[in-house]
Structure formats: structure tokens, C-alpha cells
Amino acid sequence: MHSIDTGDTAWLLVSTALVLLMTPGLALFYGGMVRSKGVLNMIMMSFVAIALVTVVWLVAGYSLAFGDDLGGGLLGGLEHLGMAGIDPDTVHGTVPEFLFATFQLTFAILTAALISGAIADRAKFSAWMVFVPVWTLVVYVPVAHWVWGPDGWIAKLGALDYAGGLVVEIVSGASGLALALVLGPRIGFRSEPMRPHNLPFVLLGVGLLWFGWFGFNAGSALSANGTAAAVFLNTLVAGCTGMLGWVLVESRRDGHPTTFGAASGVVAGLVAITPSCGWVTVLGAAVVGTVAGVVCSFAVGWKFRFGYDDSLDVVGVHLVGGIVGTVLIGLLAAKVMTNGAAGLLFGGGLAQLGKQVLAVAVVGLYAFGVTYGLGKLLDRYLGFRVTAEEEITGVDLALHAESAYEHAVLAHGGPTAGLLGHHPGLFPPRSEERHHTDEEEDPTAGARD
């Protein structure tokens, strides 16, 4: 019978807070990447995910993900429905089970919020509020049980995912692709520049994400020990090499490195090291980050070639980066880290690589298929996309009757003027106000078009 270890508990308390902070960090990251007329909606989609996923997780999500297996390693039971059977003295390993459940909750929150980047500027907020809790139960929860549940079938298979390459990154990326296809491209996709309106927001968001990622990865050790320290360092290294890899590609391909590229490279490296951080050496982490930075810098352009409008590159960074990091475990896993399994380049043969590829394929197809079906149902019965007028006007004003920047609202001539007529006095005109377009206000030449 295990007892609560105060050191482990203290570290996991800090890690849980760090991971929760990642969702507001993501909100700023995404908010800076969209045009000024959609920044509040983008931030709100992340923040509301915190509330919605928390309720669903405490009612049934935790029990279905981490409860006793019902059979076949597919889903947990309902013994902890409404957190039943857990009290302050209930232990999971060496930490209180309440804390373990909360730590896992923060992962579920972030995964749902990540999807919003693929459908920025065109999704109904009301449909998003229905989508998030249902998606959490039918997509996130089963995959979490498969991979991290004590009797999950992927766990028994021997495929490795330390902190969420399968559960978080590939699930969110595949789900984002599915919703992007359901909603269709934004008006003006491929023909109009849709540049980030606030690059300082983007960099601030990345800084918060990187800070929180130490809790995300190193906290997954569930102990304050040497493994957590190694994972912590691997997380730092991969973020650095991911940035360098992306910036190198930009410099050679485009002739100049950009702040946007640097921020994107950091995220790509962190995404890829998430599944592998506890299984590779520091040198392996450097390789994982570099490969992800280079590969993802090309992958973000695939949407223009294939015609899917993944607004904020959830597919190009999270899906592709998650695949890179998860598959590279099969090449770079070291026995000194895993205490058993080894990758192909460390004398382990092809077995581990095969397990990683199988897990990637199954999880990706499951997340894509179920999300696509759910998105289609919601689109049919509720409508998942705003009207053309609302999209042109801007979802901030159309859906929330707010604007982050008064001048940005006044900039949108016809459609905005008509909408403002329904909100007398909301933004009273000033004779001295100079109207700006988004591009005049913040020309970000280095952004992805």
C-alpha cells in the first residue's frame, strides 16, 4: 500500500498549475495569430474549454479514462462517476488521487482548446460549446484510456507515449483537420493575406506555453526524481533546437528569419518531444527538436497545396510534430531511459518502431473519423459555421458584441456599419478617428500567407 509522498505531491501541484497556465498561454498565442476582428473569440474558445472540460471530466471523464477497464483495453468503468470513491486520503502512486485527476484534467483541457486553431474566424461559438464536452467524452477519453490507462490496449501493446504525443498532439491535430474539412475554408483563403495581427501576443503566448510545458512533460514523471530532471532538460533542449531548425529553413528558403517562425519552431520542438521526453537521451532530444522544426516548417504549407484551411496550423505543427516525436521513439529510445525498450538506432530492432507506427495510425484515424462525424452532426442540426456576413464583419462583434480594438471595428466599412446599427452607442464614432485596415495597422511581412 503506497502512502502520500510530500515531495512528489508538491512537484505535481506545481506541475498541474503550470499545465493549466498553458491554456491561457495558448489563448494569447492563437489570439495574436488571427486578424484583429477575431481575437476575442479566439481567446474565448480556449477559456471556455477550461470550464466545459472540467465539468465533463469530474462527472464522468476521469472515471472512463482511468477507471478499471471494462474489457479489451478500450474504456474504463464508472466507479468514479462524479469522483465517487475518492477522498483526500486516496492515493494514486505516491500522490493524492484528487491531484492526479486534476493533473490529467489539465491535459484534456489543453487538447480540446488546441483544436480551435484549425477553425478560427468561422465557427459558431454556440456549436463549439456543444462540441467540446461531447468530443472530450467520445474522442479524448477513450484514447487516454488506451494509452495511459493501466489496462489500455496501446499500453499493453508496448507503444510508448510519455506525456501526450498520441493523446494530446495527434488527437488534437487529426481532430482539427476533420473540423477544418467540415467547416470549409475561410472567405478569402488562398486569395487574401490573413496575417497575424499581433506578433508580441504570439511570442508572449509561446513563452507561457514553454513555461507550462515543463510541468506538462516533467510533471508526467509523477515524482520529484532524476527522471523528472532528465525530462525537464529534454524539454528545454527540444524547444531550442526546434526553433533553430525552423529559423534555418526560413533563412535559406525565404531569405530572412522571422519572429513568427521562431515561435512556431519552439512549439514544433516541444510538440515532438512530448511523447519522447522520457525515453530519449539529451542528444536524442536535440535530434527530435531539430527534425520537428525542419519538417513542420514545410508541413504548414501543405494546406495551400491540398486545399484544407487549417487556420492556425494545428495540422502542420501538432499533428505532424506529434507524429515525428512519436515515431522517432522507435529509432531513438534508449534503455538507460526506458529501462527496457530500445529504438532501432540503439540496438532494439524494428519492433518498437512498428508499435509506434501502429499506434500513430490507429489514434490518428480514430480521432479524425469520430470528430468528422461529430462535426457533421452538429453542422446539420445546429449549424457549425457563421454566416458570410458575420465572418466578413468579424466574429468578435457578430458573436460577442465586443471588439478588442475600437479602430479595428470601425475599419470594416459596409458590414460593420450595418451591424453597429443594431448596437446603438456601442462604439460611438469620433470625428478625429482615422480608419485603418488590419494590414495598415500591423504589416507583418514575415507571417505565413
Side-chain angles (χ1 to χ4, degrees), residues 33-400:
M33 289 173 69
V34 296
R35 291 167 290 179
S36 57
K37 60 184 180 179
V39 54
L40 294 179
N41 175 259
M42 199 71 258
I43 291 174
M44 187 61 169
M45 290 177 82
S46 287
F47 269 82
V48 78
I50 299 175
L52 293 170
V53 177
T54 295
V55 172
V56 169
W57 189 256
L58 297 180
V59 171
Y62 175 70
S63 188
L64 291 170
F66 292 96
D68 294 337
D69 188 72
L70 292 177
L74 297 176
L75 198 64
L78 293 174
E79 63 269 22
H80 297 309
L81 191 68
M83 304 306 287
I86 304 174
D87 60 48
D89 296 321
T90 307
V91 180
H92 180 96
T94 59
V95 300
E97 189 163 4
F98 274 140
L99 177 56
F100 175 75
T102 308
F103 181 64
Q104 294 297 336
L105 162 63
T106 59
F107 281 66
I109 290 169
L110 183 67
T111 309
L114 283 169
I115 301 170
S116 65
I119 55 173
D121 291 337
R122 60 197 190 278
K124 282 186 180 179
F125 190 71
S126 56
W128 175 250
M129 291 188 68
V130 176
F131 170 82
V132 168
V134 177
W135 177 90
T136 300
L137 286 176
V138 300
V139 176
Y140 182 87
V141 163
V143 175
H145 183 78
W146 299 351
V147 178
W148 290 335
D151 297 309
W153 74 267
I154 290 180
K156 287 186 173 182
L157 174 70
L160 301 176
D161 179 8
Y162 196 81
L166 293 166
V167 181
V168 176
E169 309 299 351
I170 291 174
V171 161
S172 62
S175 298
L177 176 60
L179 281 195
L181 293 176
V182 170
L183 268 66
R186 289 165 291 178
I187 296 172
F189 176 64
R190 284 175 158 177
S191 62
E192 297 178 9
M194 298 181 180
R195 301 185 178 104
H197 88 284
N198 193 322
L199 286 174
F201 266 24
V202 173
L203 293 170
L204 176 59
V206 167
L208 291 172
L209 283 168
W210 201 348
F211 180 60
W213 228 299
F214 291 110
F216 197 86
N217 288 354
S220 295
L222 303 181
S223 295
N225 56 19
T227 299
V231 170
F232 196 105
L233 178 58
N234 283 348
T235 302
L236 174 62
V237 168
C240 293
T241 57
M243 173 170 55
L244 294 174
W246 194 301
V247 167
L248 177 63
V249 170
E250 276 192 328
S251 299
R252 293 179 62 86
R253 181 185 62 198
D254 308 325
H256 49 263
T258 68
T259 54
F260 196 18
S264 300
V266 169
V267 175
L270 294 171
V271 165
I273 199 61
T274 293
S276 55
C277 57
W279 315 123
V280 301
T281 63
V282 174
L283 178 59
V287 172
V288 168
T290 303
V291 172
V294 171
V295 172
C296 292
S297 69
F298 289 102
V300 295
W302 294 348
K303 62 184 179 183
F304 299 109
R305 179 181 303 175
F306 298 110
Y308 60 89
D309 185 9
D310 169 25
S311 306
L312 306 184
D313 299 314
V314 180
V315 177
V317 175
H318 292 276
L319 177 58
V320 174
I323 291 172
V324 166
T326 305
V327 171
L328 283 180
I329 294 172
L331 299 178
L332 300 173
K335 288 183 179 180
V336 68
M337 295 295 292
T338 65
N339 294 318
L344 178 63
L345 300 182
F346 285 78
L350 292 171
Q352 192 62 47
L353 180 60
K355 294 174 184 178
Q356 299 303 123
V357 171
L358 176 61
V360 165
V362 174
V363 169
L365 289 173
Y366 176 82
F368 177 87
V370 177
T371 304
Y372 188 85
L374 175 59
K376 279 291 190 181
L377 283 173
L378 291 177
D379 190 42
R380 178 175 180 179
Y381 293 105
L382 296 179
F384 213 141
R385 182 162 180 161
V386 299
T387 65
E389 181 182 2
E390 289 170 335
E391 184 176 342
I392 293 170
T393 298
V395 286
D396 283 359
L397 198 61
L399 301 183
H400 306 289

